[in-house]
Amino acid sequence: MLRIEKLCKTYDQGTEALRGVSIVIEAGEFVVVLGKSGSGKSTLLRCINRLVEPTSGRIFLNDEEVTGASSRHLRQLRKKIGMVFQQYNLFPHKTALENVMMAPIRVLKHDKEIAKK
């Protein structure tokens, strides 16, 4: 389950991208984030895995708090979050699902390489 409570993000120059966003997404639900260009969709998604730091509010993934998580804990949480960005280079011969499933394989290989050092 993903739970977002009163999430806000204001950028340094004063642009308010998110204001008090609250949502609960249950396991197995299929959700679409839809809105006009500049409405905060990408900011919301980037806040979920903390590529963008929220100004305030809280985010929970299966009752583990993402906001405020240490770097080490955040790395563990990110392994449970799959995202495909608009501008990322995808494998053209793979489906969207196959592209997303490539991430865990790369993470496992990366972790094994670190463990060897």
Side-chain angles (χ1 to χ4, degrees):
M1 172 181 40
L2 175 67
R3 188 172 80 244
I4 300 172
E5 300 175 348
K6 301 178 182 175
L7 194 67
C8 297
K9 175 60 183 176
T10 304
Y11 288 99
D12 292 338
Q13 61 274 33
T15 302
E16 188 177 48
L18 302 173
R19 184 186 323 145
V21 175
S22 295
I23 188 170
V24 175
I25 301 171
E26 299 291 341
E29 278 189 294
F30 185 86
V31 176
V32 175
V33 180
L34 184 65
K36 293 180 180 180
S37 178
S39 64
K41 303 177 302 293
S42 294
T43 299
L44 172 63
L45 294 175
R46 289 174 179 272
C47 281
I48 291 171
N49 64 8
R50 284 192 36 215
L51 291 175
V52 169
E53 288 293 330
T55 305
S56 63
R58 298 169 72 188
I59 302 168
F60 297 88
L61 182 62
N62 297 327
D63 294 321
E64 293 184 75
E65 189 168 2
V66 176
T67 44
S70 67
S71 295
R72 183 176 186 173
H73 189 218
L74 183 57
R75 281 192 299 277
Q76 295 302 314
L77 288 171
R78 283 179 175 160
K79 291 179 183 180
K80 300 175 187 179
I81 301 170
M83 299 180 81
V84 177
F85 296 96
Q86 294 174 10
Q87 302 304 321
Y88 255 73
N89 295 324
L90 301 177
F91 296 104
H93 59 283
K94 302 272 186 199
T95 66
L97 178 60
E98 290 169 331
N99 271 280
V100 170
M101 296 306 295
M102 295 297 289
I105 294 168
R106 289 190 178 156
V107 168
L108 289 173
K109 287 181 180 178
H110 180 16
D111 287 352
K112 287 180 183 176
E113 289 173 11
I114 290 173
K116 289 179 185 177
K117 293 181 180 180

